[in-house]
Amino acid sequence: MVSIKILIRGRPGSGKSTVISLITERIRNAKEDLRIGGIITPEIRFGRRRIGFKVIDVLTGDEMILASVSLRGPKIGRYFVNVRGFDEFLKAHRTSWVGSELVVIDEIGKMELLSETFRRYVLNLIDSEKPFVGTAPYYRLPFLDEILKRKDIEVMWIKKEFAEAVASGISKRIIASLKL
């Protein structure tokens, strides 16, 4: 059987992160001890103002600051990205990706793609047999364009009002593929 490899795309606020959260919750409800690995990259806010992003390992809950207005390093928009720290974080949490039965990545975006380690992990994951659900921005990025050329990647475009339905459909497919 061909493994599920889904990339959810959409504009900011379209519900991409919500879909990942709902899928993770539903899969855990179907089988509590299923190992779900990968990363999520939520915003860091100070009051109403976004000041950066953190990265959280889905399996362990460990986190670090990925980007901030107050760091130093390569700049994407108004944020400085902690590429070296991100690389170290990914290497330290490699078992989250390798040892999991399902991997989710939110998101494959400009900041994350500054990391060669991240790019390598994503390619290895897509080449593996384990199910994968990731999110990506609506715009083009060279690395993303290469992934999108692959025949084993299914792309789903999303709008906020359809996040629940999309998450439900993907969750059912993953549960069936994992025979939960």
Side-chain angles (χ1 to χ4, degrees):
M1 173 172 12
V2 176
S3 184
I4 294 172
K5 310 283 183 194
I6 299 174
L7 200 55
I8 301 163
R9 298 186 73 190
R11 294 194 165 276
S14 63
K16 299 183 302 282
S17 297
T18 300
V19 169
I20 293 293
S21 178
L22 290 170
I23 289 170
T24 303
E25 179 183 315
R26 288 178 177 167
I27 301 296
R28 283 194 175 125
N29 287 339
K31 186 173 186 220
E32 200 172 294
D33 62 341
L34 184 85
R35 290 177 56 93
I36 302 173
I39 60 166
I40 57 173
T41 54
E43 297 176 343
I44 301 170
R45 292 199 165 265
F46 183 75
R48 288 192 223 164
R49 188 168 171 248
R50 184 171 65 197
I51 59 169
F53 296 87
K54 59 184 168 181
V55 59
I56 301 173
D57 181 271
V58 174
L59 186 64
T60 66
D62 293 345
E63 59 183 72
M64 65 154 292
I65 295 175
L66 172 64
S68 171
V69 293
S70 62
L71 291 175
R72 290 295 162 247
K75 194 171 184 186
I76 301 286
R78 50 189 279 256
Y79 305 102
F80 295 95
V81 182
N82 183 0
V83 178
R84 183 178 299 148
F86 186 42
D87 281 341
E88 291 169 8
F89 182 86
L90 290 170
K91 289 173 185 173
H93 294 84
R94 185 173 184 275
T95 56
S96 171
W97 299 54
V98 175
S100 296
E101 298 162 84
L102 165 66
V103 178
V104 295
I105 300 174
D106 183 27
E107 108 171 326
I108 302 171
K110 286 180 186 178
M111 291 181 198
E112 297 83 1
L113 290 174
L114 290 174
S115 165
E116 177 61 37
T117 302
F118 178 76
R119 291 192 305 266
R120 189 172 54 249
Y121 280 17
V122 168
L123 291 175
N124 288 339
L125 172 61
I126 293 171
D127 287 338
S128 79
E129 290 301 313
K130 65 184 69 193
F132 156 72
V133 181
T135 67
Y138 68 95
Y139 49 82
R140 297 181 64 173
L141 296 167
F143 180 85
L144 192 54
D145 289 345
E146 289 303 310
I147 291 174
L148 294 172
K149 289 178 187 175
R150 295 177 58 127
K151 302 253 187 265
D152 55 348
I153 297 292
E154 177 182 351
V155 177
M156 299 180 89
W157 288 89
I158 187 163
K159 291 184 179 178
K160 191 170 193 123
E161 60 269 21
F162 300 111
E164 181 73 35
V166 169
S168 178
I170 293 171
S171 298
K172 288 176 185 173
R173 288 176 54 196
I174 292 169
I175 289 168
S177 78
L178 293 173
K179 298 176 174 68
L180 304 180

